[in-house]
Amino acid sequence: MSGEPLQSADMSCRIAGIRLPSPLVLASGIWGTSPGLLERAARSGAGAVTAKTCTPLPRRGHRNPTVVDWGHGLINAMGLPNPGVGEELELLKEASRRLRPLGVALIASISADTAQGFAESAALVARVGPDMIELNVSCPNLGAEHGEMFAASAAAAAEVTARVKAVTSLPCLVKLSPNVHDIAEIARAVVDAGADGITAINTMPGMLIDAESGAAVLANETGGISGPALKPIALRCVHDIASVVNVPIIGTGGVLSGVDAIEMLSAGATAVGVGSAVFYRGEQAFSLIRDELAAWLAGHGCRNLDQIRGRVDWRRQSAVATSLPPVPGWDRGTSG
Amino acid sequence: MSGEPLQSADMSCRIAGIRLPSPLVLASGIWGTSPGLLERAARSGAGAVTAKTCTPLPRRGHRNPTVVDWGHGLINAMGLPNPGVGEELELLKEASRRLRPLGVALIASISADTAQGFAESAALVARVGPDMIELNVSCPNLGAEHGEMFAASAAAAAEVTARVKAVTSLPCLVKLSPNVHDIAEIARAVVDAGADGITAINTMPGMLIDAESGAAVLANETGGISGPALKPIALRCVHDIASVVNVPIIGTGGVLSGVDAIEMLSAGATAVGVGSAVFYRGEQAFSLIRDELAAWLAGHGCRNLDQIRGRVDWRRQSAVATSLPPVPGWDRGTSG
Amino acid sequence: MDRGGSAHQPHRILERVQENPKTVSLVLEGSLACSPGQFAMLWLPGIDEKPFSIAGNDPLMFTVSRVGTFSAALQALCPGETLWVRGPFGRGFTLAPGNTLLVGGGYGAAPLAFLAAALRTACPRAKVEAALGARTSVDLLFVRQFDALGVAVQLATEDGTRGSAGLVTEIVASRLATEEFSRVRACGPEAMLEAVAELSRGAGVDAELSFEAYMRCGVGLCGACEHRGRLMCLDGPVLMMAHDGS
Amino acid sequence: MDRGGSAHQPHRILERVQENPKTVSLVLEGSLACSPGQFAMLWLPGIDEKPFSIAGNDPLMFTVSRVGTFSAALQALCPGETLWVRGPFGRGFTLAPGNTLLVGGGYGAAPLAFLAAALRTACPRAKVEAALGARTSVDLLFVRQFDALGVAVQLATEDGTRGSAGLVTEIVASRLATEEFSRVRACGPEAMLEAVAELSRGAGVDAELSFEAYMRCGVGLCGACEHRGRLMCLDGPVLMMAHDGS
Ligand SMILES: Cc1cc2nc3c(=O)[nH]c(=O)nc-3n(C[C@H](O)[C@H](O)[C@H](O)COP(=O)(O)OP(=O)(O)OC[C@H]3O[C@@H](n4cnc5c(N)ncnc54)[C@H](O)[C@@H]3O)c2cc1C
Ligand SMILES: Cc1cc2nc3c(=O)[nH]c(=O)nc-3n(C[C@H](O)[C@H](O)[C@H](O)COP(=O)(O)OP(=O)(O)OC[C@H]3O[C@@H](n4cnc5c(N)ncnc54)[C@H](O)[C@@H]3O)c2cc1C
Ligand SMILES: Cc1cc2nc3c(=O)[nH]c(=O)nc-3n(C[C@H](O)[C@H](O)[C@H](O)COP(=O)(O)O)c2cc1C
Ligand SMILES: Cc1cc2nc3c(=O)[nH]c(=O)nc-3n(C[C@H](O)[C@H](O)[C@H](O)COP(=O)(O)O)c2cc1C
Ligand code: FES
Ligand code: FES
């Protein structure tokens, strides 16, 4: 821990053949509303950036309050405000142009209320140059006719995936919700249907109530929890998913520091989503987390991220040799 | 807020005809392992106390670490250590004897791996004098052959409920898990099957990873999140359940203060479960929360808990008159 | 790293001051650690939540001009009622030594009065002057407050009912021409800010301008408040002109 | 209300001191704010997590006697390796003025040495004496540490190889008979504690005794450590005899 960075680690990783110079991925819905903001995240340390989810038609979203910091995390019910896929194409085109010279990958994010809607948006979006498409089947803020239903059902999520894969050759990530009984089952279904990766997780449904007035705080009443409170849920989901599928996972939820990122990689993630950290650590969130991660890796003599990924399971099958410096204590077994 | 307590409120509530002198209920698994500890909670302000869940046969539980404070909540994987229903009967008998003079209700908690096992334990337990039986169909720590499966399926949870109701006339509470897509659906099913009340919620599955070693922190790897991080999930679940059933709810999850209790009641709970607060606020947790609740009610001119219960929904249907002092601002509508 | 919760805090209204026919100041019980130029999100349950400049922090104060639904609801609040405050957020004005010209239009005078008081304490030797503009005499705000702080005030009204006839920017031009000022701090309508930016650039002085924008989250995440590449709730609402030329 | 996280913190081992054939002290990098008598949960990933008395807090130190699997794993750690610490937990000894007799059996001497040092600072005028017992000479612990603190030590070994032959409680009886002491602080095997409690009651002195129990959560929730109606991790491990007669 206190060792000086002797040698800096290679922080790059690959998702569906796309190289990310850093494992940090700007999560959808944060700063993803303009090419300028996407570029800002890229320049400050993200290895890939995800645009705000767009829907076939424009949406104004919910009334305020839409985002609140409740002390142990954030909760939001933006209601997917977005200009619709038509305008989104311009944003993606320009963002792609700006990101290419930086070597940072662009992920488009789409949502729709039918599998067909997903496929139509995917076909449009694929033409304007994103490196990947993320299928947001898990936004919890849209009522039963929309969104959530896909991530809650293995069959529905798989159908969306298959329909999209049929119209584009771009790598597809499917973004899953923690609000299901068995997230691994959903992950298996979408991977069987052709998903090239999984983004896990979206926010966890919750509610804040103001004691003084007796009112729900969010205008939408319920919203999605993100930030610190979400981290153990996200780690568990990523670990569950990594145990059953073999595609890369963008582990997302409550990553605020380099150590959080190490935990997420240890759970089995290939890359690490960063959203609420922008609130908790300010606009330098990406560079801070990237530098902490680099320092940790160097301080522990790691040369690349493969030496961290999935460590929890290496440890369980403790006969498996690792190239990590041995962690004192744990490999003594019970003979001591 | 700053008003002096002019008149103290009646803090009693009723669950399935049983009177609780205070709405605070000791949650199962905390202090519920002996008559002395149950009495201690009762004497310090609980209106009902729940014994630790017992299973048909004794269980040693998981290895340590079993409980960790991760900064925004606790996570535990005790693994339901308990002496088995046989020994539990002695505990309940003695606890019942000690609690009766205090007017505090005793809730037995049972779990089993078959509906039949639940019924058998319920029949035994019913004979030794608890006021209610809680069916813990939601413990997340027992692997797929046990526990969780019931709370995750409306049919399975309903079957457990019906089998137990068939063998005892004692009021039955069913304790639900947040780790389902639609907790309201499960609640409806168990109420249709005869449940007299709902305890919501049990812990939310999560995982901690130690960055330094790469190991899962809990010996069981995954565990259940409780405490502050759980509160918005619990409020949402209680509100969801209260919207579809008409039985009392013991709203449980992250209640650490009197204001938290007000929020839980506002979401629609009749009583308020208290578990992790014993860690966060020490052994006086019950008396602190009870006194804060009393002060809040008095300061807001409330005479009883009915004036708080379900306020979130009164507000939505804002034409409904309430006996609460009008909350400034919100009843102005949009006319300005 | 732990900011603690910044969720809405209920504040009882102590005083409701009718500043002019369309402007009301709400003085609240309690205080808020913040700097002049920062804003807070004001919430009325069941109605809406919108950003307002902090017009004083101890006691906490907001100055609200009546525009539409929400500002009307705020103005209808009475002492004893409750207002919910989430914040403070954003970047405020720098408190730096050097003679400073404050330029306010409409309710923009409110955060400037807060700034003037803070400058008096932080940089007691700096000369601070204010130039305030409005359409007509009754619209002028906080003139007495500046006076009380010993801040010389120059006024402009479009109809000439008080101070010089015309725009406040004419006063700014003449005051900057004296070369007595090294700093300009402005808050008001966007057109005024543009003109002040231009004049400050010409005079080579350091200018900080407080902009408005449509805000949702208020905390730098959602992108709703983007204005020329900046998030006004995170990078602003006060922008340093020197660096970005806006 | 926010205690912050008390999750396991990794500490590098600076020094491994073989105190006697079956006892090792581990001196760790870093410190821990705590009071003598409190304990921490020590974790070795993949092995186990158990409670240990804090034997010093700056640097952090634990003294481990070899009993079974886990204590053996702890003793096998070398300088440079890592030990994970969760805590501090429980109620420690009261630091109160008045002449104090410390009574230690086996590794119970470790927290008492920490207590002696703390008493030296908190109550410099109190006379502090220690009575330590063990089966045989080599089992005695921390005699030098007490000496270095200026604490007079009386020793007892069952086989008479050092100090008086017999039990430490015989020393306690004779020291209390002098009526020089108003307080007793003890840590050691339960049988010793029972005897010390009895003697203290007889002498009418205030006694605090540190008990052991089987611990799971360590934070007062699970009930695993209940001992005569008390949760030893929350109400203990140090119990005041005066109040509960144990
Ligand atoms: C950082 C920041 C600080 C702010 N500080 C203050 C403050 O200190 N005091 C204050 O009163 N407000 C302030 N505002 C503005 C405030 O947030 C609201 O936008 C304002 O109160 C109008 O809301 P409303 O609901 O009353 O009107 P809306 O319902 O939003 O508007 C009603 C109608 O008025 C029109 N309208 C809206 N704004 C204007 C305008 N500026 N001029 C003319 N017509 C308009 C709209 O087109 C609409 O048709 C600030 C805004 C920001 C971003
Ligand atoms: C508050 C508290 C403070 C403690 N402080 C310390 C401390 O400072 N230093 C320290 O070394 N330990 C301390 N302990 C004890 C420690 O937690 C472990 O219980 C001890 O190290 C034994 O664990 P183990 O896994 O090595 O042995 P186990 O595997 O638990 O025991 C192995 C075998 O030894 C037997 N055994 C267990 N304990 C004893 C015993 N006391 N005497 C004889 N046989 C026994 C058991 O029956 C078992 O068969 C403390 C305990 C508590 C509750
Ligand atoms: C304000 C806000 C808006 C969000 N909008 C979207 C969105 O449009 N699409 C999406 O897939 N996820 C959205 N999310 C979820 C995030 O992408 C991410 O999955 C979640 O916040 C957990 O990560 P975090 O803890 O790092 O924030 C949003 C989150 C926040 C806080
Ligand atoms: C250490 C611990 C043990 C628990 N054991 C049980 C149990 O045996 N049966 C049960 O139904 N719930 C058990 N729970 C869950 C609690 O009863 C409660 O539902 C949960 O902790 C949320 O409430 P809280 O945030 O107030 O702790 C346990 C919780 C903790 C922290
Ligand atoms: S309001 Fe500024 S980013 Fe959301
Ligand atoms: S170990 Fe003491 S209550 Fe759990």
Side-chain angles (χ1 to χ4, degrees):
Chain A
M1 292 270 269
S2 60
E4 315 147 39
L6 300 170
Q7 196 199 346
S8 65
D10 173 8
M11 301 255 283
S12 72
C13 63
R14 280 185 179 275
I15 295 187
I18 314 285
R19 179 178 184 278
L20 276 52
S22 137
L24 306 183
V25 178
L26 175 70
S28 182
I30 287 88
W31 282 13
T33 49
S34 80
L37 290 170
L38 288 165
E39 182 183 353
R40 183 167 167 177
R43 289 197 182 272
S44 76
V49 295
T50 315
K52 170 81 186 170
T53 300
C54 71
T55 48
L57 297 175
R59 290 176 56 92
R60 306 198 59 185
H62 298 309
R63 265 193 310 134
N64 261 16
T66 46
V67 179
V68 180
D69 156 29
W70 49 279
H72 301 281
L74 303 177
I75 189 163
N76 91 83
M78 301 300 305
L80 275 193
N82 79 90
V85 68
E87 267 211 37
E88 185 76 4
L89 299 179
E90 302 309 311
L91 182 156
L92 292 169
K93 220 178 284 176
E94 172 65 8
S96 168
R97 198 184 61 74
R98 296 202 196 185
L99 295 170
R100 208 160 302 276
L102 306 177
V104 168
L106 174 63
I107 307 174
S109 170
I110 61 173
S111 188
D113 49 15
T114 61
Q116 181 58 23
F118 269 97
E120 284 164 13
S121 285
L124 290 171
V125 156
R127 284 194 218 123
V128 294
D131 298 286
M132 297 177 243
I133 302 183
E134 184 168 280
L135 311 181
N136 178 5
V137 291
S138 50
C139 182
N141 299 329
L142 301 175
E145 87 292 359
H146 202 106
E148 179 82 286
M149 57 192 273
F150 295 109
S153 143
E159 196 205 336
V160 168
T161 310
R163 294 289 280 271
V164 168
K165 288 299 290 181
V167 301
T168 176
S169 56
L170 275 185
C172 285
L173 308 170
V174 181
K175 183 151 181 194
L176 298 184
S177 165
N179 194 37
V180 296
H181 178 57
D182 183 0
I183 198 171
E185 178 210 349
I186 316 278
R188 196 171 359 214
V190 300
V191 169
D192 287 347
D196 301 284
I198 301 282
T199 303
I201 52 178
N202 212 315
T203 55
M204 176 74 197
M207 184 174 192
L208 294 190
I209 292 176
D210 174 63
E212 194 63 18
S213 62
V217 175
L218 296 172
N220 187 53
E221 296 202 340
T222 62
I225 295 163
S226 64
L230 193 62
K231 191 178 76 171
I233 300 176
L235 289 171
R236 189 258 307 165
C237 289
V238 167
H239 183 252
D240 283 357
I241 296 166
S243 308
V244 300
V245 301
N246 247 326
V247 299
I249 301 166
I250 304 182
T252 307
V255 173
L256 266 55
S257 69
V259 168
D260 292 337
I262 291 288
E263 293 172 13
M264 197 59 88
L265 295 165
S266 300
T270 291
V272 176
V274 173
S276 303
V278 170
F279 169 75
Y280 288 98
R281 306 203 64 189
E283 48 177 328
Q284 311 82 359
F286 286 94
S287 57
L288 291 170
I289 298 174
R290 182 199 52 198
D291 294 349
E292 289 160 359
L293 183 57
W296 196 101
L297 293 170
H300 288 72
C302 297
R303 290 176 314 280
N304 57 52
L305 300 177
D306 295 333
Q307 296 183 279
I308 299 298
R309 189 168 308 121
R311 279 197 297 162
V312 169
D313 293 314
W314 302 349
R315 294 214 21 147
R316 199 169 24 189
Q317 307 140 22
S318 63
V320 177
T322 81
S323 42
L324 252 195
V327 175
W330 71 262
D331 49 359
R332 282 220 171 62
T334 51
S335 66
Chain B
M1 295 271 272
S2 58
E4 317 144 37
L6 299 170
Q7 199 199 344
S8 66
D10 173 8
M11 301 256 284
S12 71
C13 63
R14 280 187 177 273
I15 295 187
I18 314 284
R19 179 177 184 277
L20 276 51
S22 137
L24 306 182
V25 178
L26 175 71
S28 182
I30 287 88
W31 282 13
T33 50
S34 80
L37 291 170
L38 288 165
E39 182 184 354
R40 182 165 167 177
R43 289 195 182 274
S44 77
V49 295
T50 315
K52 170 79 184 170
T53 301
C54 70
T55 48
L57 297 176
R59 289 177 56 92
R60 305 199 59 183
H62 298 308
R63 263 193 313 134
N64 261 16
T66 46
V67 179
V68 180
D69 156 30
W70 49 279
H72 301 280
L74 303 177
I75 189 164
N76 90 82
M78 300 299 307
L80 274 194
N82 78 90
V85 69
E87 266 209 39
E88 185 75 4
L89 299 180
E90 300 309 310
L91 184 157
L92 291 170
K93 220 177 284 177
E94 172 66 9
S96 168
R97 197 183 63 76
R98 295 200 197 188
L99 294 169
R100 208 159 301 276
L102 306 176
V104 167
L106 173 64
I107 307 175
S109 171
I110 62 173
S111 189
D113 49 15
T114 61
Q116 181 58 24
F118 269 98
E120 284 164 13
S121 286
L124 290 171
V125 156
R127 280 191 221 129
V128 294
D131 299 286
M132 299 179 242
I133 302 182
E134 186 169 276
L135 310 181
N136 178 5
V137 291
S138 49
C139 181
N141 298 328
L142 301 175
E145 87 292 2
H146 204 107
E148 179 83 285
M149 58 192 277
F150 295 108
S153 143
E159 196 204 335
V160 168
T161 310
R163 294 288 280 269
V164 168
K165 287 299 289 183
V167 300
T168 175
S169 56
L170 276 185
C172 285
L173 308 169
V174 181
K175 183 150 182 192
L176 298 184
S177 166
N179 194 37
V180 296
H181 178 58
D182 183 0
I183 198 170
E185 179 209 350
I186 317 276
R188 196 169 2 214
V190 299
V191 170
D192 287 348
D196 301 284
I198 301 281
T199 303
I201 53 180
N202 213 315
T203 55
M204 177 74 197
M207 184 172 189
L208 294 189
I209 292 175
D210 174 64
E212 195 64 20
S213 62
V217 175
L218 295 172
N220 187 52
E221 296 202 342
T222 61
I225 295 163
S226 64
L230 193 63
K231 191 178 75 172
I233 300 176
L235 289 171
R236 189 258 307 164
C237 289
V238 167
H239 183 253
D240 283 357
I241 296 167
S243 308
V244 301
V245 300
N246 246 324
V247 298
I249 302 166
I250 304 182
T252 307
V255 173
L256 266 54
S257 69
V259 168
D260 292 337
I262 291 288
E263 293 172 13
M264 197 58 89
L265 296 166
S266 299
T270 291
V272 175
V274 173
S276 302
V278 170
F279 168 74
Y280 288 98
R281 305 202 66 188
E283 48 176 329
Q284 311 81 2
F286 287 94
S287 58
L288 291 170
I289 299 174
R290 182 199 51 197
D291 294 349
E292 289 160 0
L293 183 57
W296 196 100
L297 293 169
H300 288 73
C302 298
R303 290 176 314 280
N304 57 54
L305 300 177
D306 296 334
Q307 295 183 282
I308 299 299
R309 188 168 310 118
R311 279 197 298 163
V312 169
D313 294 314
W314 302 347
R315 296 212 20 147
R316 198 169 27 189
Q317 308 140 21
S318 62
V320 177
T322 82
S323 42
L324 252 195
V327 176
W330 72 263
D331 49 356
R332 277 216 178 63
T334 49
S335 66
Chain C
M1 226 163 85
D2 184 26
R3 301 180 32 158
S6 60
H8 306 89
Q9 296 298 321
H11 287 265
R12 189 184 295 263
I13 292 167
L14 291 179
E15 232 182 300
R16 177 191 184 282
V17 183
Q18 190 82 45
E19 304 282 3
N20 71 28
K22 62 173 192 191
T23 307
V24 165
S25 288
L26 298 170
V27 182
L28 309 185
E29 199 169 64
S31 62
L32 191 69
C34 66
S35 55
Q38 287 193 292
F39 70 95
M41 300 297 281
L42 302 187
W43 177 44
L44 292 177
I47 304 185
D48 210 337
E49 185 208 42
K50 291 197 173 180
F52 286 80
S53 297
I54 296 163
N57 72 337
D58 191 11
L60 186 55
M61 182 171 113
F62 296 93
T63 298
V64 179
S65 279
R66 187 179 191 117
V67 175
T69 314
F70 188 63
S71 49
L74 288 174
Q75 292 203 349
L77 293 171
C78 297
E81 294 188 311
T82 301
L83 175 60
W84 282 257
V85 178
R86 174 165 78 92
F89 299 123
R91 207 171 278 179
F93 293 105
T94 317
L95 296 182
N99 297 344
T100 304
L101 180 63
L102 310 177
V103 186
Y107 59 74
L112 293 179
F114 180 22
L115 173 63
L119 281 172
R120 274 280 161 269
T121 312
C123 317
R125 283 180 309 183
K127 178 170 82 173
V128 180
E129 244 185 68
L132 304 179
R135 206 152 331 151
T136 181
S137 164
V138 289
D139 291 348
L140 287 164
L141 284 173
F142 294 107
V143 179
R144 261 181 310 118
Q145 280 83 339
F146 287 105
D147 280 346
L149 287 164
V151 170
V153 188
Q154 309 229 17
L155 303 172
T157 50
E158 289 174 40
D159 64 359
T161 45
R162 192 161 169 205
S164 56
L167 297 173
V168 69
T169 42
E170 291 157 26
I171 299 176
V172 174
S174 73
R175 296 309 293 148
L176 289 182
T178 64
E179 300 190 358
E180 286 169 31
F181 296 94
S182 56
R183 305 184 190 283
V184 169
R185 305 287 183 255
C187 185
E190 186 146 345
M192 181 200 92
L193 296 176
E194 299 296 346
V196 171
E198 190 59 40
L199 291 166
S200 305
R201 215 173 349 248
V205 300
D206 147 52
E208 291 182 352
L209 315 173
S210 174
F211 285 85
E212 288 196 4
Y214 175 63
M215 289 188 185
R216 302 297 299 277
C217 71
V219 294
L221 297 173
C222 74
C225 64
E226 191 179 1
H227 176 83
R228 302 182 186 172
R230 303 300 190 90
L231 292 174
M232 300 310 290
C233 69
L234 184 72
D235 306 318
V238 174
L239 296 181
M240 269 175 257
M241 201 207 64
H243 297 133
D244 62 279
S246 64
Chain D
M1 226 162 88
D2 187 26
R3 301 181 32 158
S6 60
H8 306 90
Q9 296 298 321
H11 287 265
R12 189 183 296 264
I13 293 167
L14 291 180
E15 231 182 302
R16 178 191 183 282
V17 183
Q18 189 82 45
E19 304 282 2
N20 71 30
K22 61 174 193 192
T23 307
V24 164
S25 287
L26 299 170
V27 182
L28 310 186
E29 199 169 64
S31 61
L32 191 69
C34 66
S35 56
Q38 286 193 291
F39 69 95
M41 300 296 284
L42 302 188
W43 178 45
L44 292 178
I47 304 186
D48 210 335
E49 184 208 43
K50 291 197 173 180
F52 286 80
S53 297
I54 297 164
N57 73 334
D58 191 11
L60 187 55
M61 183 172 115
F62 295 93
T63 298
V64 179
S65 279
R66 187 177 191 119
V67 175
T69 314
F70 188 64
S71 50
L74 288 173
Q75 291 202 349
L77 293 171
C78 297
E81 294 188 312
T82 301
L83 176 59
W84 282 257
V85 179
R86 173 166 78 93
F89 298 122
R91 205 170 279 177
F93 293 105
T94 317
L95 296 181
N99 296 344
T100 303
L101 180 64
L102 310 177
V103 186
Y107 58 76
L112 293 179
F114 180 23
L115 173 62
L119 281 171
R120 276 278 160 270
T121 313
C123 317
R125 282 181 311 183
K127 178 171 83 174
V128 180
E129 244 186 66
L132 303 180
R135 205 148 337 149
T136 180
S137 166
V138 288
D139 289 349
L140 287 164
L141 285 173
F142 295 108
V143 179
R144 262 180 310 115
Q145 281 83 339
F146 286 106
D147 279 347
L149 286 164
V151 170
V153 190
Q154 309 227 16
L155 303 173
T157 49
E158 290 174 39
D159 63 0
T161 45
R162 191 160 170 210
S164 55
L167 297 174
V168 69
T169 43
E170 292 158 25
I171 301 178
V172 175
S174 74
R175 296 308 294 145
L176 289 183
T178 65
E179 299 190 2
E180 286 169 33
F181 296 94
S182 56
R183 302 181 193 285
V184 169
R185 305 290 184 251
C187 186
E190 188 149 341
M192 182 200 92
L193 296 176
E194 299 297 344
V196 171
E198 191 58 41
L199 292 167
S200 303
R201 216 176 346 248
V205 301
D206 149 53
E208 291 183 350
L209 315 174
S210 175
F211 284 84
E212 289 196 4
Y214 175 62
M215 289 188 186
R216 304 297 299 276
C217 71
V219 295
L221 297 174
C222 74
C225 65
E226 190 180 358
H227 177 83
R228 303 183 186 172
R230 303 299 190 90
L231 293 174
M232 299 311 291
C233 70
L234 184 72
D235 306 318
V238 174
L239 296 182
M240 269 175 258
M241 199 209 66
H243 296 131
D244 62 277
S246 65

